[in-house]
Amino acid sequence: MKIVLATRNRGKIEEIKELLKGCGFEMLTLDDFPGLALPPEDMRDFKGNALKKARSVASKTGIPSLADDSGLCVDALQGGPGVHSARYAGKGATDSDNYEKLLKELKNIPPGQRTARFVCVAALATPGGREKTFDGSLEGVIGNEPRGEYGFGYDPVFIVPGPGKTLAELSPEEKNMVSHRAKALGRLKDWLKKQMP
Ligand code: IMP
């Protein structure tokens, strides 16, 4: 079955392709539909944005679509940057612009109050209007400086408590065993299995 991933984020695409390996999807990306624009992510929550992207891509391509809306929610910032994670340091911000801004904002926050979580909502939508969402989260703390070379986004500043390493210090395989995205897509896979006769 063909499915279009409703994202241009290379980091997400690599992880989703790996996490859904063996599910029988032929995964297309927006690169296969030049000129197709994603709708603005202007909803209040991850679920709203994920559904908006999946619905839009499914209706424009005529193929079922999977969207991922995700972000980092920091307790000391009352859940921010949350749905604004991708553009935290402004339009066109790079990953390092965003996490450097975060480190600056948290400069005076002591270790015990640097708790945060990554949240992911994966939305599946068909051109015929069927839709379903799955969520996952990962608890951690924000470090004092970036560490590690893997991953994308805020991975270099997000410390996973067990191993005490940032997500960017975990290999892609290790990140895919614990991440918010792995949990959301794990739920999607469980649901898919139940749909099979
Ligand atoms: P959006 O879902 O396109 O709005 O963008 C999500 C943003 O959240 C990304 O651009 C990253 O900055 C951040 N983000 C989401 N998931 C991850 C992750 O697994 N690691 C690091 N940053 C992430």
Side-chain angles (χ1 to χ4, degrees):
M1 174 181 157
K2 278 190 185 174
I3 191 167
V4 190
L5 302 184
T7 180
R8 296 194 191 281
N9 181 315
R10 299 313 307 178
K12 284 188 190 179
I13 291 172
E14 295 310 316
E15 290 183 14
I16 293 170
K17 283 192 165 172
E18 194 55 38
L19 289 163
L20 293 184
K21 232 181 194 169
C23 286
F25 289 130
E26 182 189 335
M27 277 182 269
L28 307 177
T29 68
L30 295 181
D31 293 342
D32 297 299
F33 301 91
L36 190 153
L38 282 172
E41 297 183 29
D42 52 7
M43 306 302 278
R44 279 214 316 258
D45 56 22
F46 296 110
K47 184 175 171 181
N49 280 329
L51 279 170
K52 190 171 180 183
K53 290 186 277 190
R55 281 178 195 142
S56 164
V57 171
S59 90
K60 286 178 182 166
T61 61
I63 298 171
S65 174
L66 174 67
D68 162 317
D69 201 66
S70 45
L72 179 65
C73 302
V74 179
D75 292 323
L77 301 175
Q78 289 73 48
V83 291
H84 307 293
S85 294
R87 293 161 300 279
Y88 186 43
K91 205 167 165 241
T94 63
D95 286 345
S96 59
D97 293 338
N98 285 331
Y99 67 65
E100 290 298 349
K101 176 173 178 187
L102 177 68
L103 292 177
K104 218 162 142 191
E105 296 286 333
L106 298 185
K107 199 167 57 147
N108 298 318
I109 304 293
Q113 292 171 31
R114 298 173 73 93
T115 47
R117 67 207 48 78
F118 271 120
V119 176
C120 173
V121 176
L124 207 47
T126 68
R130 290 180 64 196
E131 54 193 39
K132 183 95 185 142
T133 59
F134 309 87
D135 57 17
S137 66
L138 173 65
E139 299 287 330
V141 295
I142 305 302
N144 294 313
E145 74 283 308
R147 292 192 329 235
E149 301 299 326
Y150 294 116
F152 68 97
Y154 297 85
D155 283 349
V157 299
F158 186 91
I159 300 173
V160 187
K165 291 181 177 177
T166 68
L167 274 180
E169 291 177 304
L170 298 185
S171 67
E173 295 74 24
E174 288 170 323
K175 179 178 175 187
N176 280 346
M177 289 201 283
V178 299
S179 79
H180 48 308
R181 187 160 297 106
K183 288 175 189 159
L185 296 182
R187 289 183 175 132
L188 183 153
K189 285 198 268 187
D190 290 344
W191 177 81
L192 279 175
K193 274 185 213 142
K194 287 193 204 130
Q195 309 308 302
M196 309 285 181

